[in-house]
Amino acid sequence: MIVTLIVVCEVGFWVLPAAGLATRYLLRMRRTGLALLLVQPLLEPVLLAVTVPDLRSGAEPGRRHGLAALYIGYTVGHGHRTVTWLDGHAAHRPGGGPPPARPPRHGAGRARYEGRVWLGTAVGAAVATGLLQAAVWYVGDAARTGPPEDWTHLSWRVAAFHGLFALSYAVFPRRAPKRAPKRAPRSARKKAVGGSPRHQSDGVGAAAAGAGGGVDAGADAD
């Protein structure tokens, strides 16, 4: 039953925000869309409320309890950021609003962004660890605490790998590509050289006319 509930909660984590955003921006029903968005955080307490009685009834702590803890940890650590990202894109595409701000791509700004994302992963691992450790204390049997401890180690291994990935942006920051200098417009280059061919021809014609006038004046004087 818990595995089914985990699947339902995971589907609901994506379906409810999608339905809320569609109602909010496509149907222009902002209050209804907000209500659907507010239902999504209630999935975690429901999952927790079902997991605890399952352990109380004598169920063996196993994969389903580990998945439940990791799911709750992910939604606590990354749920708000995920919904905010979805809301920004929905407001831009169907809603016709401005495009959402993109994270920095290079330098210290990108390193800080990756650090904030990793912080969400660390929070999720801490939440999952707390829930799994509570399950260990609740069971009170050392022979039955193996699976929760394994899931605890898994959550921190994921956080460690993600931390190394985020740290790489600080140790080896990505540099912005060098841009070629902009070339001046063709008309500006012609003016810098000496004007356009038409203007040059007009200048040559004016000089020739001046020279011709000088010769005619000399002939009249003779």
Side-chain angles (χ1 to χ4, degrees):
M1 177 181 177
I2 294 183
V3 177
T4 304
L5 185 60
I6 293 174
V7 174
V8 171
C9 289
E10 181 65 23
V11 173
F13 178 80
W14 298 103
V15 171
L16 285 176
L21 294 174
T23 305
R24 187 177 184 182
Y25 293 107
L26 292 179
L27 302 179
R28 305 296 181 181
M29 301 170 63
R30 295 190 176 273
R31 292 185 178 180
T32 305
L34 180 61
L36 291 174
L37 292 175
L38 293 177
V39 170
Q40 189 271 335
L42 299 178
L43 296 177
E44 289 76 29
V46 171
L47 182 60
L48 186 61
V50 175
T51 304
V52 172
D54 186 63
L55 290 173
R56 181 178 297 178
S57 63
E60 186 76 17
R63 180 180 301 177
R64 60 186 183 275
H65 302 99
L67 287 175
L70 291 183
Y71 170 77
I72 295 174
Y74 174 83
T75 54
V76 172
H78 292 288
H80 177 73
R81 184 178 61 85
T82 304
V83 173
T84 302
W85 182 85
L86 292 172
D87 183 70
H89 284 272
H92 170 52
R93 293 295 183 181
R102 294 184 178 182
R105 299 181 61 184
H106 310 95
R110 182 68 182 193
R112 288 191 295 268
Y113 170 78
E114 293 294 339
R116 289 193 297 268
V117 176
W118 172 81
L119 185 61
T121 301
V123 169
V127 171
T129 299
L131 294 174
L132 292 170
Q133 188 61 40
V136 170
W137 291 336
Y138 185 81
V139 172
D141 186 358
R144 300 171 59 198
T145 59
E149 292 178 352
D150 293 341
W151 283 97
T152 300
H153 297 157
L154 175 62
S155 64
W156 285 109
R157 282 197 297 269
V158 172
F161 282 121
H162 189 186
L164 292 175
F165 175 78
L167 184 62
S168 66
Y169 283 90
V171 178
F172 306 103
R174 294 184 178 181
R175 298 181 179 180
K178 295 182 179 180
R179 297 181 179 180
K182 295 183 178 180
R183 300 182 62 183
R186 186 175 180 182
S187 58
R189 294 200 304 269
K190 288 179 180 180
K191 290 180 180 179
V193 173
S196 63
R198 181 178 179 181
H199 292 165
Q200 292 179 359
S201 62
D202 292 343
V204 172
V215 173
D216 292 341
D220 294 339
D222 291 340

